[in-house]
Amino acid sequence: MGRMDSHGQDEQRVVWAVVDTGIGPLLLAATRRGLVNVVFHATDAVREAALRRLASRFGDEPVEEPGAPLLAEAIRQVRAYFAGERKEFELPLDWSLISGFNREVLQELASGVPYGTVVGYGDLAGRVGQPGAAQAVGMAMGANPLPVVVPCHRVVESGGGIGGFGGGLETKRRLLALEGVLPEPLF
């Protein structure tokens, strides 16, 4: 068992599941506080590495439990998003994998850049009071532990370039096409 809190519940317990989506398998992981991690391309090796990172961060082996209430709801919302039926995620988020400036930028992104819109790296930096920090915003996007749900795919270069993406540019294009920002890829 992991560390217990005052209610005798496992404070740090991490549950996870893999959901198949239009951009490949996504690993979703949650703590009692909320969704804590979303990992792209969650085939065996990627999934194992992600679970090892979570185990070392939370001090306990994550448990595969797609029926855990928070995860079941996250899976439902992710499926609805990829089916074009949901435009925003309404899930409790656990921000404990990220802190400082990166967390501030990602929280602004999560609350302030709606479905079907994009924002420039520099614009987002300005919104958190650091107008010169476009590059740092790029780093924050790369460090996003909750991609798709915290929509780093909506951050693009001001000159019209698509910008980088942890999940790969093809994935970013597909997400932006799903939201109607880009035309659907032809193939």
Side-chain angles (χ1 to χ4, degrees):
M1 280 308 268
R3 294 183 288 281
M4 297 293 197
D5 68 11
S6 57
H7 304 295
Q9 283 178 295
D10 203 344
E11 179 66 65
Q12 299 284 29
R13 185 163 179 273
V14 177
V15 292
W16 64 275
V18 172
V19 58
D20 282 314
T21 72
I23 55 167
L26 288 182
L27 176 118
L28 306 179
T31 63
R32 237 182 43 194
R33 279 186 297 214
L35 194 65
V36 72
N37 205 190
V38 176
V39 181
F40 288 116
H41 315 306
T43 51
D44 297 350
V46 170
R47 188 181 68 232
E48 294 311 315
L51 293 172
R52 272 198 306 278
R53 280 194 307 274
L54 288 165
S56 72
R57 171 65 183 77
F58 291 101
D60 219 348
E61 266 327 293
V63 183
E64 184 173 13
E65 202 179 305
L70 204 149
L71 265 188
E73 181 56 23
I75 290 167
R76 203 179 64 69
Q77 291 191 23
V78 163
R79 286 194 173 128
Y81 169 81
F82 281 101
E85 294 157 8
R86 171 173 278 279
K87 299 205 175 344
E88 56 191 57
F89 292 97
E90 295 165 280
L91 295 166
L93 302 179
D94 178 339
W95 292 94
S96 59
L97 293 179
I98 196 146
S99 59
F101 176 78
N102 288 358
R103 183 191 290 193
E104 201 183 331
V105 169
L106 290 166
Q107 286 176 328
E108 171 58 35
L109 173 65
S111 63
V113 183
Y115 185 97
T117 66
V118 292
V119 65
Y121 292 95
D123 296 339
L124 192 52
R127 290 189 193 188
V128 294
Q130 304 281 336
Q135 216 162 1
V137 165
M139 302 297 281
M141 296 307 111
N144 181 6
L146 292 160
V148 182
V149 175
V150 175
C152 52
H153 57 277
R154 294 182 195 148
V155 184
V156 297
E157 290 169 0
S158 51
I162 192 168
F165 196 60
L169 289 183
E170 183 53 35
T171 300
K172 185 170 187 171
R173 279 195 199 95
R174 283 174 186 264
L175 288 166
L176 290 170
L178 173 73
E179 296 190 6
V181 176
L182 284 177
E184 279 290 345
L186 295 175
F187 45 81

